[in-house]
Amino acid sequence: PFHLVALLKVARPLFYFLLDSNAGNKSKEKSGLVMEAAEHVAKSQLVKDITLLLSYPSSLAVVQSASESLALALSYHGKYMDDKSNVKHLYRFTRQALENASGSVETVQALRPMLITASKQSRTFAASLLSYSIKTCSENKTMMWKIAALISSA
């Protein structure tokens, strides 16, 4: 787990370099467009790969680092949540992380940065997560209300 946390912390600054360049430049060459397309694919794949670590079962430090990295990535890659398949992917692994938590409020706290950022950018994500928490966390009121509070703060 310590290796994964270290890798996530190292990968986080990569998002600063993968920021969208000025969209106003109309005099782009063909090779420039190809590079931009490759960069977009790389950003999306990096976000999807980090999403897999949300449900890492044996370490909350890995989950928290993944959540922080995703929050940063989503902040800079604002259109990522416009694609419904990306919302489904993120929701599926968030739900899996919550299921692995077995009612642990600490997991919700570790997911906090990503939950807030994703809920701000996608009403579908927020509504699905709230519905999930009401249906499945009804026995653990603390966890359900913690999730609801995070979504409402978005």
Side-chain angles (χ1 to χ4, degrees):
F2 298 112
H3 296 279
L4 288 173
V5 171
L7 280 173
L8 287 169
K9 287 185 178 182
V10 169
R12 196 173 303 144
L14 286 175
F15 289 110
Y16 292 111
F17 297 107
L18 294 176
L19 293 174
D20 288 332
S21 58
N22 294 336
N25 291 342
K26 294 182 181 179
S27 61
K28 295 179 182 174
E29 296 178 19
K30 188 175 182 179
S31 63
L33 293 174
V34 171
M35 289 298 288
E36 281 187 23
E39 186 179 304
H40 178 72
V41 169
K43 285 184 208 178
S44 295
Q45 188 59 48
L46 188 56
V47 171
K48 286 184 179 188
D49 291 344
I50 293 173
T51 301
L52 298 174
L53 295 174
L54 289 177
S55 59
Y56 194 77
S58 61
S59 175
L60 274 178
V62 172
V63 173
Q64 184 165 3
S65 290
S67 176
E68 290 168 354
S69 295
L70 280 170
L72 180 65
L74 293 174
S75 295
Y76 285 116
H77 192 24
K79 295 184 179 186
Y80 182 82
M81 295 297 277
D82 291 346
D83 184 352
K84 296 293 182 191
S85 66
N86 293 337
V87 174
K88 284 182 182 180
H89 181 79
L90 184 59
Y91 171 72
R92 185 174 84 220
F93 283 97
T94 302
R95 191 182 70 211
Q96 187 175 357
L98 293 171
E99 288 170 359
N100 290 347
S102 303
S104 168
V105 178
E106 288 82 20
T107 301
V108 176
Q109 193 60 33
L111 293 170
R112 183 180 190 273
M114 183 275 304
L115 291 176
I116 291 173
T117 305
S119 294
K120 281 181 184 177
Q121 293 184 4
S122 171
R123 289 183 183 183
T124 303
F125 178 85
S128 297
L129 190 61
L130 186 59
S131 175
Y132 166 80
S133 69
I134 290 170
K135 289 178 185 174
T136 59
C137 301
S138 59
E139 296 167 6
N140 187 345
K141 299 284 187 200
T142 305
M143 188 171 177
M144 180 180 71
W145 286 111
K146 185 78 171 174
I147 293 169
L150 289 174
I151 292 170
S152 68
S153 71

